[in-house]
Amino acid sequence: MARQHARTLWYDRPKYVFMEFCVEDSTDVRVLLEDHRVVFSCRNGDGVELYNEIEFYAKVNSKDSQDKRSGRSVTCFVRKWKEKVAWPRLTKEDIKPVWLSVDYDNWRDWEGDEEMELAQVEHYAE
């Protein structure tokens, strides 16, 4: 059976880029965060192998990034190398894959948003 891409949502904040790989009942989850890319792989509840490789728009701090798995998704909190610099897109290439979408429910302007961002990261870390 061929690999498929996991549906991926993302949004930008002053210090972090958040990505959510939407996979229910995931098993064999592997997240490899590097300074210029992320590689995500797992199997879904039906046993289908999912694989995403994303070259980031800009350099990130992989040492200060983390991921968290829940029953419906795997969320990555990726620390930007240059804070307070908006990313117009997640990927290095200016081509949007069909499986990648902006998470408009969480997207917002940044004014006064740093405290909220920090609280959100701490909440997920628990």
Side-chain angles (χ1 to χ4, degrees), residues 91-119:
T91 59
K92 186 175 185 176
E93 302 86 32
D94 196 12
I95 299 168
K96 184 189 150 316
V98 296
W99 46 266
L100 180 63
S101 301
V102 171
D103 185 350
Y104 288 107
D105 290 339
N106 288 303
W107 193 279
R108 66 178 60 88
D109 291 332
W110 292 352
E111 296 300 317
D113 206 28
E114 289 185 34
E115 289 179 21
M116 183 181 209
E117 176 186 29
L118 186 58

Side-chain angles (χ1 to χ4, degrees), residues 12-43:
D12 189 30
R13 289 288 191 269
K15 293 182 182 178
Y16 289 88
V17 171
F18 293 82
M19 294 179 299
E20 182 178 13
F21 297 99
C22 304
V23 182
E24 289 190 32
D25 303 324
S26 58
T27 59
D28 302 328
V29 175
R30 287 184 216 90
V31 179
L32 173 64
L33 271 167
E34 297 176 345
D35 288 347
H36 294 282
R37 72 179 185 143
V38 62
V39 178
F40 170 79
S41 65
C42 74
R43 292 192 181 279

Side-chain angles (χ1 to χ4, degrees), residues 15-17 19 31-39 54 56 58-67 76-82 87:
K15 293 182 182 178
Y16 289 88
V17 171
M19 294 179 299
V31 179
L32 173 64
L33 271 167
E34 297 176 345
D35 288 347
H36 294 282
R37 72 179 185 143
V38 62
V39 178
I54 300 170
F56 290 126
K59 186 176 180 182
V60 300
N61 184 346
S62 59
K63 304 279 189 265
D64 193 22
S65 299
Q66 54 188 323
D67 58 88
C76 296
F77 315 96
V78 182
R79 182 77 181 248
K80 293 179 177 179
W81 194 260
K82 291 183 180 178
W87 285 20

